């Protein structure tokens, strides 16, 4: 396998808890109590679709202006947490794994729904390890659509069948499968059972794992 594509939230850093705190404030304003269980369904989902889901759960319909204002306020609140991020926020084993890939000369891309992805990679000091960043600013279709990963493969100059995707969300694994790439789920086999391989985190990978990865049969 040649190209390696990483999701951001839940794979490289755990920003889900910051998204949760910020969306909880929005939900409170709408008179709705957002639970950690419901927040699971917002993982990997774009900002606009996340607010649509919260409004649906709250049983509310609002004007476009108010919708825009809630999105802006949520993002401003989320950014107060992101501003404080450092390399200490990188999930276990990720940095060593990324450095090993670079040393072996593999092209590496980010494939995330977040519009804040470049800022988070700057804050954690990882940005120079990526050859290209494909994020919520550069793609239109949300996961499970494969667009984000197909664009990443194209920008890396690697055929889709020779790419591996690391994902923590159900929709993200489906997107990788839809792209015809090898999908590696980070999390629990209960919700990521459709991935080609499932691991709890990057400390579980051995160097042989990458060498022995086989392209997906069509
Ligand atoms: P932003 P990923 C996703 O990141 C998050 O999982 C999701 O909760 C968030 O709503 C989305 O990014 C958009 O983020 O508001 O920063 O543009 O998992 O695709 O890296
Ligand atoms: Mg994710």
């Amino acid at each position: 396998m040649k190209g390696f594509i990483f999701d951001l939230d839940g794979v490289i850093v755990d920003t889900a808890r910051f998204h949760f705190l910020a969306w909880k404030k929005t939900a409170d304003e709408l008179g709705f109590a957002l639970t950690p269980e419901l927040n699971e369904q917002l993982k990997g989902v774009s900002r606009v679709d996340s607010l649509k889901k919260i409004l649906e759960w709250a049983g509310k319909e609002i004007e476009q202006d108010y919708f825009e204002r809630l999105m802006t306020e949520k993002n401003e609140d989320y950014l107060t947490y992101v501003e404080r991020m450092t390399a200490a926020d990188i999930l276990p084993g990720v940095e060593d794994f990324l450095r090993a890939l670079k040393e072996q000369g593999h092209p590496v891309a980010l494939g995330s729904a977040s519009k804040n992805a470049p800022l988070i990679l700057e804050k954690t000091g990882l940005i120079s390890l990526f050859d290209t960043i494909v994020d919520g600013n550069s793609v239109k279709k949300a996961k499970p659509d494969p667009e984000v990963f197909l664009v990443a493969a194209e920008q890396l100059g690697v055929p889709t069948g020779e790419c591996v995707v690391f994902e923590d969300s159900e929709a993200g694994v489906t997107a990788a499968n839809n792209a015809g790439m090898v999908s590696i789920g980070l999390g629990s086999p209960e919700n990521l059972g459709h991935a080609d391989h499932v691991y709890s985190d990057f400390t579980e990978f051995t160097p042989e794992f990458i060498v022995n990865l086989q392209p997906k049969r069509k």
Side-chain angles (χ1 to χ4, degrees):
M1 302 302 290
K2 294 207 180 85
F4 291 80
I5 307 173
F6 292 76
D7 174 51
L8 180 65
D9 175 29
V11 170
I12 295 176
V13 286
D14 176 19
T15 38
R17 61 208 162 102
F18 303 147
H19 282 295
F20 174 60
L21 292 171
W23 279 131
K24 195 164 158 33
K25 224 167 147 178
T26 310
D28 285 347
E29 187 175 326
L30 293 163
F32 174 71
L34 181 67
T35 61
E37 290 72 32
L38 280 175
N39 187 58
E40 284 300 305
Q41 295 181 40
L42 301 181
K43 287 187 176 174
V45 176
S46 70
R47 199 181 308 169
V48 59
D49 288 343
S50 297
L51 182 53
K52 281 183 188 165
K53 272 181 186 277
I54 292 169
L55 286 166
E56 206 181 298
W57 294 331
K60 291 257 157 92
E61 277 181 32
I62 60 172
E63 296 290 325
Q64 190 59 27
D65 284 5
Y66 187 31
F67 188 99
E68 297 294 335
R69 181 160 71 76
L70 287 178
M71 281 218 300
T72 305
E73 285 173 1
K74 182 270 170 180
N75 195 50
E76 284 169 359
D77 197 39
Y78 173 66
L79 287 177
T80 62
Y81 299 105
V82 170
E83 285 300 333
R84 295 196 287 262
M85 285 182 84
T86 66
D89 291 290
I90 303 168
L91 288 170
V94 175
E95 188 165 0
D96 286 348
F97 189 79
L98 279 167
R99 290 195 185 281
L101 288 178
K102 292 313 289 174
E103 274 162 28
Q104 290 165 27
H106 289 292
V108 174
L110 190 85
S112 163
S114 176
K115 292 187 172 174
N116 296 303
L119 176 65
I120 294 167
L121 291 181
E122 284 280 1
K123 288 275 166 196
T124 50
L126 294 175
I127 200 152
S128 63
L129 297 174
F130 289 85
D131 297 295
T132 188
I133 293 170
V134 184
D135 61 15
N137 300 296
S138 41
V139 292
K140 293 237 155 27
K141 297 182 203 141
K143 301 167 189 175
D145 189 283
E147 184 185 18
V148 63
F149 298 137
L150 294 175
V151 172
E154 195 184 327
Q155 289 189 5
L156 291 179
V158 178
T160 55
E162 290 173 34
C163 288
V164 182
V165 173
F166 299 92
E167 256 292 347
D168 71 309
S169 73
E170 239 173 277
V173 166
T174 305
N177 291 342
N178 287 341
M181 300 176 179
V182 172
S183 55
I184 300 184
L186 275 307
S188 101
E190 272 159 43
N191 51 344
L192 302 177
H194 53 316
D196 294 313
H197 307 268
V198 183
Y199 289 88
S200 55
D201 65 48
F202 279 87
T203 60
E204 287 194 352
F205 293 120
T206 61
E208 295 76 43
F209 171 76
I210 291 302
V211 177
N212 294 333
L213 266 181
Q214 293 298 316
K216 217 157 173 168
R217 284 209 187 91
K218 292 257 160 118

